């Protein structure tokens, strides 16, 4: 087919201002200056055509009740993916971070004296409550002959100290709800476990009123706040299971190494656990802010 002369084509003005012109009337195009396009500019008409095609598709979709999603946006009828559920406590307690608790157990195992304590039976993550009602994060180990109450810095991954209680010196184990004086300002809900190991020695007045005293012949345990986050921590924070294993270990220790002048075994009681605090302002502030735990606190240290 032979190429036609460009002068044979007629330019027809279809705008609203050309309504008075006769159809098919020839309109002389206005002369435009010739520009020399660079290679990058030669692609502009094609790009403009593609943009116009996309706009036309959007308008067409609007006519049918559907709208094409813009770049970087999700269509309204497309459900957004639900974010993975993360418990707030997983981002706060250092003990819940991957590998932290395993490292703590490895560090504490290195401190066990096999000749004094014997073999490790079980380990637990509990909250120790002192005689001033202050909560303290503790790792508790039950061995053949000892109850080890260990303080570990989960933020720095550092072993600090451990309190050793011979199992054959434990003479009373009490489990039950917490009980406070009638006029006490502070209260505590839930149940606890109190372990006594020297019924022959009563704590003096100064010892009981000294918040930093470690000469109290008993200690109290409660469940750690992270219980229920995972199956592993639910198991090692279970106070009832800890109580059962401690009772069995104490009875076994009495059979192997009885102590002269003591009863053959510990007394197991189910009764309220008294905490003799009346004002408890210090413990109230400490427990509400979780100062006894290795906890992420933003820009404020602990």
């Amino acid at each position: 087919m032979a190429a036609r002369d460009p002068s044979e084509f007629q330019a027809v003005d279809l705008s609203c201002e050309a309504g008075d012109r006769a159809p098919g009337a020839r309109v002389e195009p206005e002369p435009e200056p010739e520009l020399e396009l660079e290679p990058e500019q030669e692609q502009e008409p094609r790009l403009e055509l593609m943009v116009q095609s996309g706009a036309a598709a959007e308008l067409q979709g609007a006519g049918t009740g559907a709208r094409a999603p813009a770049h970087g946006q999700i269509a309204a009828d497309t459900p957004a993916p639900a974010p993975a559920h993360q418990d707030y406590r997983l981002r706060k307690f250092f003990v819940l971070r991957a590998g932290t608790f395993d490292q703590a157990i490895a560090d504490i195992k290195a401190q066990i004296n096999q000749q004094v304590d014997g073999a490790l039976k079980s380990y637990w993550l509990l909250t120790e409550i002192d005689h001033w009602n202050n909560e303290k994060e503790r790792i508790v180990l039950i061995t053949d002959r000892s109850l080890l109450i260990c303080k570990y810095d989960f933020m720095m991954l550092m072993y600090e100290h451990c309190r050793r209680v011979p199992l054959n010196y434990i003479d009373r184990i009490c489990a039950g709800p917490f009980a406070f004086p009638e006029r006490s300002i502070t209260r505590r809900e839930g149940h606890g476990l109190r372990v006594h190991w020297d019924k022959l020695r009563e704590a003096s007045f100064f010892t009981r009123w000294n918040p930093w005293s470690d000469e109290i012949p008993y200690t109290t345990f409660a469940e750690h706040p992270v219980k229920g986050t995972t199956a592993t921590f639910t198991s090692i924070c279970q106070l009832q299971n800890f109580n059962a294993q401690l009772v069995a270990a104490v009875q076994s220790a009495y059979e192997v190494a009885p102590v002269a002048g003591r009863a053959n075994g510990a007394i197991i009681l189910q009764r309220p656990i008294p905490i003799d605090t009346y004002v408890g302002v210090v413990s109230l502030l400490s427990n509400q802010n979780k100062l006894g735990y290795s906890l992420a606190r933003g820009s404020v240290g602990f």
Side-chain angles (χ1 to χ4, degrees):
M1 180 176 180
R4 301 180 62 182
D5 187 0
S7 61
E8 296 182 6
F9 290 97
Q10 292 182 351
V12 180
D13 190 357
L14 300 179
S15 63
C16 59
E17 297 178 356
D20 298 335
R21 295 191 182 94
R26 179 167 182 170
V27 180
E28 294 292 337
E30 296 181 3
E32 295 181 358
E34 296 182 1
L35 298 177
E36 201 171 345
L37 300 178
E38 296 180 0
E40 295 81 10
Q41 297 177 343
E42 292 179 355
Q43 301 297 330
E44 291 182 358
R46 183 177 180 182
L47 293 175
E48 183 180 359
L49 180 61
M50 294 174 63
V51 173
Q52 291 178 355
S53 300
E58 183 176 353
L59 292 176
Q60 182 179 1
T64 59
R67 183 176 180 182
H71 180 68
Q73 296 181 353
I74 301 177
D77 57 346
T78 303
H85 175 70
Q86 293 182 354
D87 195 326
Y88 176 71
R89 292 174 295 183
L90 294 177
R91 303 190 301 270
K92 297 288 287 184
F93 287 91
F94 282 97
V95 68
L96 293 180
R97 303 195 174 185
T100 301
F101 187 76
D102 294 336
Q103 181 63 45
I105 295 299
D107 294 341
I108 294 176
K109 282 182 178 180
Q111 305 296 327
I112 297 178
N113 190 332
Q114 296 289 338
Q115 296 180 353
V116 177
D117 303 318
L120 176 64
K121 289 186 173 182
S122 60
Y123 51 81
W124 309 83
L125 178 65
L126 301 173
T127 295
E128 184 181 22
I129 302 173
D130 64 10
H131 58 291
W132 272 51
N133 194 31
N134 293 307
E135 297 180 357
K136 300 176 182 179
E137 189 175 38
R138 294 291 183 261
I139 295 178
V140 183
L141 287 75
I142 299 177
T143 66
D144 289 335
R145 295 184 289 270
S146 302
L147 175 68
L148 303 177
I149 307 170
C150 305
K151 181 181 180 181
Y152 189 87
D153 188 345
F154 291 102
M155 184 180 70
M156 299 300 296
L157 297 178
M158 181 177 62
Y159 166 84
E160 294 191 1
H161 64 79
C162 191
R163 188 178 189 182
R164 177 180 285 106
V165 179
L167 292 178
N168 56 355
Y169 275 74
I170 296 176
D171 48 51
R172 191 172 22 159
I173 300 176
C174 302
F178 294 105
F180 288 80
E182 184 179 355
R183 297 182 180 180
S184 177
I185 297 178
T186 58
R187 297 287 176 177
R188 175 185 294 276
E189 303 296 333
H191 289 66
L193 182 71
R194 177 163 292 178
V195 181
H196 300 258
W197 55 79
D198 195 353
K199 65 180 180 181
L200 302 178
R201 177 172 61 91
E202 292 293 335
S204 64
F205 176 84
F206 178 77
T207 299
R208 287 185 286 107
W209 286 96
N210 180 10
W212 298 282
S213 175
D214 56 357
E215 297 180 1
I216 302 293
Y218 62 84
T219 189
T220 307
F221 296 110
E223 292 180 339
H224 196 283
V226 301
K227 177 190 174 184
T229 54
T230 63
T232 299
F233 284 99
T234 299
S235 176
I236 63 177
C237 297
Q238 184 66 253
L239 192 64
Q240 185 176 0
N241 294 343
F242 169 74
N243 183 17
Q245 294 202 21
L246 179 61
V247 169
V250 169
Q251 293 176 349
S252 176
Y254 268 98
E255 293 176 359
V256 174
V259 179
R262 291 179 178 265
N264 189 18
I267 301 175
I268 311 302
L269 300 175
Q270 292 287 335
R271 68 179 187 182
I273 298 176
I275 298 181
D276 298 327
T277 57
Y278 291 88
V279 179
V281 176
V282 176
S283 63
L284 180 63
L285 295 176
S286 175
N287 296 339
Q288 284 186 349
N289 295 281
K290 303 295 183 184
L291 298 181
Y293 301 86
S294 295
L295 200 66
R297 307 179 193 278
S299 58
V300 180
F302 64 96

